[in-house]
Amino acid sequence: MKKLWQLMLMAVLATFMLAACGTTDEPKKDDAPATENTQTDTDDAVESAFPVTLTDAVGNEITFEEAPKTIVSMQPSNTEILFALGLNEEIVGVNDYDNYPEEALEKEKIGGMEFNVEKIVSMQPDIVFAHEMGLGSGEEGFQQIRDAGIKVFVVTNATNFEETYATIEQIGQATGKTEEATTIVEDMKAKVAEVIVKTSKVEDKKRVFIETSDAPDIYTPGDNTFMQEILNMIDAENVVTEDGWVMISPEEIVSQNPDVIVVMYSYVPDIIESVKNRDGFGDITAVKEDRVVQVDENLTSRTGPRLAQGLEEVAKAIYPEVFE
């Protein structure tokens, strides 16, 4: 009898050990769908953001019932924001001048300032992101698109960094990409802060002339412009003090004798040498010290995710020593 009880006890123990081994070796039932649950949570978060009603630059309230599946962008800055938000697949049409990122070159073109209304309507996008800068020549076309039953959201023309951040966040809201928009803005602010810290150490403040078009009609940004904000942020002095955009003569530039000349256009071949060789420019400090620098105008003229990079490039052109 004693032996029988021992055998029974061993059998019970063996059963428990096998059960324990089976629990350890087999994957947990809720391990497998973890990724799926995460994706479901993300989808639920996007769905919960809709419907959302946003007011555009002309005061129209646009209601988005869900994240748009097809998008037309009518401005390069809009396009850069949309791509940065991860909406490559959703973008079906872009402006003729869109060249960044490279994927934009592969998208269907809808025209420039004079856009093709019929083509846009034929695409039947869920939303058209227009721009306030196009109102002068495009409002009639915008209305024709609206009359075809297609939503048109006119994006505000940002005139400073804060308005650029707000634009990115607003487009993020409209497309269900609020988290992505927040990340973009945070990264931009971090880059801006980094540039400001570096240039704050400058002891020799530079006087700068910014040139945005070639002679004979040389234009430059003065006070109350985006470029003036950039110069203020990096502690550089604009030699032009007039308000807004100013046409300036070569003689006046020579008279101002800037320490640095920043050229903000690329349509003229060998423009750096061309500027240096203008009559009287050999006497300018910027030319004597070889401080005529070209910066990609798209980095500062397109109010999108690359604007912080534009700030850095202008700062490097004026104060290269603090970035070495």
Side-chain angles (χ1 to χ4, degrees):
M1 180 66 73
K2 184 175 180 182
K3 190 163 236 174
L4 179 61
W5 278 105
Q6 286 177 337
L7 288 170
M8 291 176 65
L9 181 60
M10 289 176 65
V12 171
L13 287 171
T15 300
F16 275 115
M17 289 176 68
L18 285 170
C21 290
T23 303
T24 304
D25 294 342
E26 292 179 8
K28 292 181 181 179
K29 288 185 179 180
D30 50 5
D31 279 351
T35 303
E36 183 180 340
N37 286 342
T38 302
Q39 183 60 50
T40 302
D41 291 342
T42 301
D43 292 341
D44 289 343
V46 171
E47 287 179 10
S48 67
F50 294 95
V52 61
T53 300
L54 302 171
T55 303
D56 72 0
V58 293
N60 291 333
E61 290 188 347
I62 313 295
T63 298
F64 297 82
E65 300 293 343
E66 61 180 2
K69 296 180 177 63
T70 51
I71 298 169
V72 167
S73 172
M74 302 184 71
Q75 185 80 4
S77 55
N78 291 349
T79 301
E80 292 199 17
I81 293 170
L82 291 164
F83 270 104
L85 290 171
L87 293 162
N88 186 349
E89 296 299 320
E90 288 81 355
I91 300 169
V92 296
V94 298
N95 186 290
D96 285 356
Y97 299 102
D98 287 358
N99 57 7
Y100 187 90
E102 288 187 7
E103 290 85 352
L105 297 170
E106 301 169 6
K107 298 295 181 178
E108 193 74 23
K109 297 297 187 288
I110 53 87
M113 293 296 289
E114 297 181 2
F115 49 89
N116 190 327
V117 173
E118 290 77 15
K119 191 170 189 177
I120 294 171
V121 171
S122 71
M123 292 176 172
Q124 285 296 297
D126 292 333
I127 187 68
V128 172
F129 283 107
H131 198 274
E132 190 176 9
M133 287 183 68
L135 286 175
S137 58
E139 178 54 38
E140 183 179 346
F142 296 164
Q143 190 57 50
Q144 289 175 354
I145 297 170
R146 295 187 190 101
D147 292 342
I150 298 171
K151 290 184 174 72
V152 177
F153 190 91
V154 182
V155 176
T156 301
N157 180 35
T159 58
N160 54 50
F161 275 83
E162 288 301 323
E163 290 178 3
T164 300
Y165 301 148
T167 294
I168 293 170
E169 289 169 344
Q170 187 179 53
I171 293 178
Q173 278 185 286
T175 56
K177 297 286 186 177
T178 53
E179 290 186 10
E180 290 84 347
T182 298
T183 299
I184 291 169
V185 170
E186 287 177 349
D187 289 346
M188 290 177 69
K189 288 181 177 179
K191 171 59 71 177
V192 168
E194 177 188 330
V195 173
I196 289 175
V197 167
K198 286 184 177 180
T199 53
S200 67
K201 301 173 184 178
V202 170
E203 296 180 358
D204 182 18
K205 184 175 181 177
K206 300 296 184 183
R207 298 182 69 254
V208 183
F209 172 69
I210 308 287
E211 180 168 302
T212 59
S213 62
D214 192 22
D217 298 328
I218 302 174
Y219 275 88
T220 183
D223 203 13
N224 294 314
T225 62
F226 214 122
M227 188 54 64
Q228 184 62 58
E229 181 186 27
I230 287 177
L231 294 177
N232 291 342
M233 293 168 80
I234 61 176
D235 200 25
E237 181 185 345
N238 192 345
V239 299
V240 176
T241 57
E242 289 96 329
D243 198 58
W245 291 86
V246 181
M247 189 166 75
I248 188 170
S249 68
E251 293 77 17
E252 179 61 21
I253 301 170
V254 173
S255 164
Q256 289 294 337
N257 190 29
D259 301 311
V260 181
I261 296 176
V262 179
V263 178
M264 302 292 294
Y265 56 93
S266 56
Y267 63 88
V268 178
D270 301 320
I271 185 58
I272 298 299
E273 291 306 312
S274 177
V275 169
K276 290 179 179 178
N277 291 325
R278 288 176 186 159
D279 289 344
F281 273 47
D283 295 327
I284 296 177
T285 300
V287 175
K288 289 179 179 177
E289 298 181 357
D290 197 23
R291 300 293 300 275
V292 181
V293 189
Q294 188 174 27
V295 173
D296 182 357
E297 66 270 29
N298 291 333
L299 294 177
T300 56
S301 64
R302 296 180 182 178
T303 50
R306 294 195 295 164
L307 190 60
Q309 182 186 342
L311 171 72
E312 183 177 52
E313 291 304 307
V314 173
K316 284 181 178 178
I318 298 170
Y319 299 120
E321 65 276 7
V322 303
F323 293 90
E324 291 175 354

